[in-house]
Amino acid sequence: MEKGKELKAKLFPRIWAKTMRGDKITRSYMHTLDGPFDEERLFEYLCEITRAMDIPTPIVLKSHIYNFVHFNICKFLATEFVEDVDFDFFTLENTTGTIKPIPRYFREDM
């Protein structure tokens, strides 16, 4: 990989969002962030992604944030949406691998 492309990937991570029904992808969207990843803005990123995909925004729990930051993926079940949806689950996945696990414990006060 060229140095310029590698630097851009580190500065501007991408999030791959997909809706699944069974084991098939029904919708897919690649969202490039406008700057370095900030876990405090995960809900904002989620709102932008769901608006672009034309689906409702799910309820975000602490476990979703923890899983995305530490494991680069989080999964929203259909029951975590207020409105009815036509898929079984929705996932967000970090495709660049640039989000490093934060060396701290999962705290209740987050």
Side-chain angles (χ1 to χ4, degrees):
M1 181 185 286
E2 293 178 17
K3 192 169 191 156
K5 288 183 181 179
E6 184 178 330
L7 180 62
K8 184 177 179 184
K10 286 185 179 178
L11 293 177
F12 303 107
R14 293 177 302 187
I15 298 173
W16 181 27
K18 56 189 171 185
T19 59
M20 306 283 289
R21 177 167 288 282
D23 59 349
K24 299 192 187 285
I25 297 174
T26 56
R27 287 185 199 91
S28 179
Y29 177 72
M30 185 68 71
H31 181 70
T32 303
L33 303 183
D34 56 356
F37 177 78
D38 180 11
E39 72 178 276
E40 302 290 326
R41 294 181 57 200
L42 184 62
F43 183 72
E44 181 182 328
Y45 303 146
L46 182 62
C47 289
E48 293 172 8
I49 291 167
T50 55
R51 190 176 307 116
M53 293 179 75
D54 195 30
I55 60 173
T57 305
I59 297 169
V60 180
L61 304 173
K62 290 179 193 177
S63 61
H64 294 128
I65 297 169
Y66 179 83
N67 287 336
F68 190 79
V69 170
H70 291 277
F71 304 113
N72 294 326
I73 193 166
C74 66
K75 182 176 180 179
F76 298 89
L77 302 175
T79 57
E80 294 169 337
F81 289 82
V82 175
E83 301 174 33
D84 290 331
V85 292
D86 61 345
F87 49 85
D88 296 332
F89 58 92
F90 171 68
T91 61
L92 295 179
E93 183 175 348
N94 171 26
T95 61
T96 55
T98 58
I99 301 172
K100 303 288 187 222
I102 297 172
R104 65 176 184 210
Y105 294 102
F106 182 61
R107 299 187 321 238
E108 289 294 322
D109 61 332
M110 289 178 65

